[in-house]
Each structure stands twice: as structure tokens, then as C-alpha cells.
Amino acid sequence: QVQLVESGGGLVQPGGSLRLSCAASGIILSAYDTDWYRQAPGKERELVAGITQRGGTKYMDSLKGRFTISRDNAKNTVYLQMSSVKPEDTAIYYCNSHSPGVPQFNFWGQGTRVTVSS
């Protein structure tokens, strides 16, 4: 059974840092592309960052270098390092992994909540 589990969310002050984790079982993340999404109440889900099976990365334009996505193959885990966070970063963050060659292989985690507030 495939399972993605997000963790690391919580309350953080503006300007602070937070590290989110996406731990996988049932699949090897180095064979997949993995993305971080977020959704705030009343807003559409949006793509935050992604990492390909080859290690290439992408980010939403508005982040201005504040977030970093990475993968630890030994731990089969993808991370999202969030720095200089802003109140508008408040959302539930989800990870999604999908196979580049088999679109039907597409998996979501349950999400972890991030609240940025003073």
C-alpha cells in the first residue's frame, strides 16, 4: 500500500523558519516527481514547489527564494524548508508524488497545517 505522510507543521512567527517532511512508503521517491501544494481556507490549491526524480527543482514565482525543496533518498523523504515565512504562507501543505511515465500512479498525503502569526 502506498502512503505519504506529511509532518512538521505548526505555529511559527513571521520571519521564522519551518521544515516540512513528506515520508513515503510503498514507493521509492527517487523514481517519482514530488510536489508540495498548499491550500488556505476559501482559496484554491496552489503548487508551491516540486522536485523531479532526477533532482531538478521548481518553485512558484512569488516565493522569492524563501523556500527550498529537497529529497533524502536514504530516508525516502522529501522536505520543504520554509524560511522568512509570512502570514500569507498560512495553509495546509500537501505532498504529491507521481510517476513521470505512468500518469495513473499519483498519490497524495493527508496534509500538515502551517500557521504564521505573531
Side-chain angles (χ1 to χ4, degrees), residues 18-101:
L18 209 60
R19 190 192 199 194
L20 308 183
S21 299
C22 175
S25 60
I27 60 170
I28 304 300
L29 288 180
S30 62
Y32 287 75
D33 294 347
T34 300
D35 303 317
W36 282 98
Y37 289 82
R38 69 185 182 188
Q39 187 167 27
K43 296 186 177 180
E44 297 292 326
R45 184 184 64 197
E46 60 183 356
L47 177 64
V48 176
I51 185 167
T52 71
Q53 63 177 7
R54 304 289 279 180
T57 59
K58 60 186 178 183
Y59 302 92
M60 64 184 303
D61 292 340
S62 62
L63 289 178
K64 301 293 185 181
R66 296 184 298 113
F67 291 7
T68 301
I69 188 170
S70 63
R71 183 176 66 232
D72 186 332
N73 292 336
K75 296 182 178 180
N76 204 29
T77 299
V78 169
Y79 302 97
L80 183 68
Q81 179 67 51
M82 306 169 59
S83 301
S84 302
V85 296
K86 304 176 179 180
E88 47 264 48
D89 295 323
T90 296
I92 300 177
Y93 285 72
Y94 302 89
C95 65
N96 167 264
S97 291
H98 54 96
S99 171

